[in-house]
Amino acid sequence: MSPIASDAVGGDLFAANLKGSLLAVASSAFIGVSFIVKKKGLRRAGAAGVRAGVGGYGYLLEPLWWVGMVTMLVGEIANFIAYMFAPAVLVTPLGALSIIVSAVLAHFTLNEKLHRVGILGCGLCIVGSTMIILHAPQERTPSSVEQIWHLATQPSFLCYAAIAVGVSLFLMLYCAPRYGQTNIIVYVGICSVIGSLTVMSIKAVGIAIKLTIEGINQAGYFQTWVFAVVSATCIVIQLVYLNKALDTFNTAVVSPIYYAMFTTLTILASAIMFKDWSGQRASNIASEICGFLTVLAGTVVLHSTREPDQTMSADLYAPLPPKIYWHIQGNADIGKQREDDSLTCEFITVVRQDYFV
């Protein structure tokens, strides 16, 4: 290839990366807003019925939650289109910008305070994202969905997919019923592991749509529909467990942990399937890794400066009513009752060898 032709191809790839970056930034803004709107909707629904975190689905009747869902849908569509133009190594880490948006909005709308050090965390996320954009690999788009299918059926990626499905099933069937309400890694882990498969399948569907628009019809290949079904299934699972995580834990805790796990696994899956770093200089790869670590440090700093959610505390330590029944071990009478009008709702002590009913 001549130098002129090489420069032209390089220019086209850079333009594609730029389009993907801008779409990813817009996507992060919409998704960051949707976290807050959905959180408010979940709170309203939880106040009127069974919370999503313990298996309730009342939020499906809450209009505010649907507003958040529509906002997230717009963001996901922008993200979907971004994957058509740019590699996952570039698009996925830019999701950190949604953490900044959600952190700032949570400060003003959910009373989840953002301190000065948290602002430093936001700055680190921006700096790291800029490094990633400047050193992102220039990906060549496959010419057919069959080529993507070949990449997806490599032994290395099939091994990753099998491990991801196995871990997800273990978390959903064993860990979620036992530890889901107390350990944030369970719900967020499910979202992250499934999310890495979602990105790979969505990227495949996006490339198929792009090729079809360009005149190379991909709808006739069964592989296109397999990728579409996998994408839809993974998205539904992600939404269910993301709702559980948001309803159970503080938004400031969910967002950075979800970002760190999801981005790491997606970059790993993309590197295995699409060989994103193949042919790149070591300096560029090192810069991308440093950029990602900078963003990760920013999310940790941002998370460490946020206050714990008060909702769970209120649920776990609700005041006792003025009327109390108690049982006393020993020779005393069983089943005594006391009604004390002077007993306040702040009474929350437990007497040794007694238990209250």
Side-chain angles (χ1 to χ4, degrees):
M1 182 180 294
S2 66
I4 296 178
S6 179
D7 290 342
V9 172
D12 291 340
L13 293 176
F14 177 79
N17 275 3
L18 182 60
K19 291 178 183 177
S21 300
L22 294 176
L23 286 166
V25 171
S27 168
S28 295
F30 281 105
I31 292 174
V33 172
S34 74
F35 267 107
I36 304 304
V37 178
K38 286 174 63 181
K39 178 79 172 185
K40 293 180 74 69
L42 289 169
R43 284 185 175 181
R44 284 189 185 180
V50 181
R51 293 171 42 243
V54 292
Y57 293 94
Y59 59 85
L60 295 175
L61 302 177
E62 175 56 50
L64 190 59
W65 184 84
W66 282 106
V67 172
M69 276 300 301
V70 171
T71 306
M72 174 173 278
L73 180 62
V74 173
E76 292 296 348
I77 290 174
N79 202 46
F80 174 77
I81 299 174
Y83 282 114
M84 295 183 187
F85 296 98
V89 173
L90 169 60
V91 175
T92 306
L94 293 180
L97 300 178
S98 66
I99 299 176
I100 298 176
V101 175
S102 64
V104 173
L105 292 179
H107 175 81
F108 293 104
T109 62
L110 299 179
N111 294 322
E112 297 176 1
K113 299 302 181 183
L114 176 64
H115 301 287
R116 292 182 179 179
V117 180
I119 298 175
L120 173 62
C122 293
L124 289 173
C125 290
I126 294 173
V127 171
S129 298
T130 303
M131 292 176 64
I132 292 171
I133 292 174
L134 293 177
H135 297 90
Q138 297 178 342
E139 181 182 65
R140 297 183 182 277
T141 303
S143 59
S144 72
V145 74
E146 288 183 317
Q147 290 186 8
I148 307 174
W149 181 262
H150 174 71
L151 296 173
T153 53
Q154 299 172 98
S156 56
F157 186 75
L158 287 177
C159 182
Y160 173 84
I163 294 173
V165 172
V167 170
S168 299
L169 289 175
F170 174 73
L171 290 174
M172 286 187 285
L173 300 179
Y174 180 81
C175 296
R178 294 170 174 80
Y179 312 112
Q181 294 295 305
T182 57
N183 192 328
I184 191 173
I185 299 299
V186 176
Y187 291 153
V188 176
I190 296 170
C191 293
S192 302
V193 175
I194 293 295
S196 66
L197 299 179
T198 303
V199 171
M200 298 303 102
S201 55
I202 280 182
K203 186 170 179 63
V205 174
I207 292 174
I209 292 174
K210 181 183 177 183
L211 291 171
T212 301
I213 293 174
E214 292 174 350
I216 308 174
N217 187 14
Q218 303 295 305
Y221 296 99
F222 81 92
Q223 293 94 334
T224 302
W225 301 105
V226 171
F227 285 128
V229 170
V230 172
S231 299
T233 303
C234 291
I235 288 172
V236 170
I237 295 174
Q238 273 188 274
L239 286 177
V240 169
Y241 284 96
L242 182 59
N243 282 327
K244 289 178 178 290
L246 286 173
D247 190 55
T248 306
F249 303 99
N250 191 322
T251 307
V253 180
V254 173
S255 296
I257 295 178
Y258 178 46
Y259 167 79
M261 295 181 65
F262 170 68
T263 304
T264 301
L265 292 173
T266 300
I267 289 175
L268 176 62
S270 184
I272 294 173
M273 179 173 172
F274 289 100
K275 306 294 189 294
D276 288 328
W277 287 333
S278 178
Q280 256 199 309
R281 290 182 299 179
S283 59
N284 284 341
I285 296 175
S287 297
E288 291 168 38
I289 294 175
C290 288
F292 172 61
L293 292 177
T294 302
V295 173
L296 188 58
T299 61
V300 172
V301 170
L302 185 58
H303 158 55
S304 65
T305 60
R306 302 294 297 281
E307 296 177 351
D309 197 349
Q310 300 300 318
T311 305
M312 289 299 295
S313 297
D315 292 341
L316 293 174
Y317 301 104
L320 297 177
K323 181 184 290 187
I324 297 176
Y325 297 86
W326 73 83
H327 297 268
I328 303 176
Q329 296 179 356
N331 297 324
D333 295 334
I334 304 293
K336 288 188 177 181
Q337 172 185 353
R338 173 174 178 171
E339 296 185 23
D340 189 349
D341 294 335
S342 64
L343 187 62
T344 65
C345 289
E346 283 75 21
F347 182 80
I348 196 170
T349 188
V350 177
V351 181
R352 187 171 179 266
Q353 291 188 341
D354 292 358
Y355 62 93
F356 297 96
V357 180

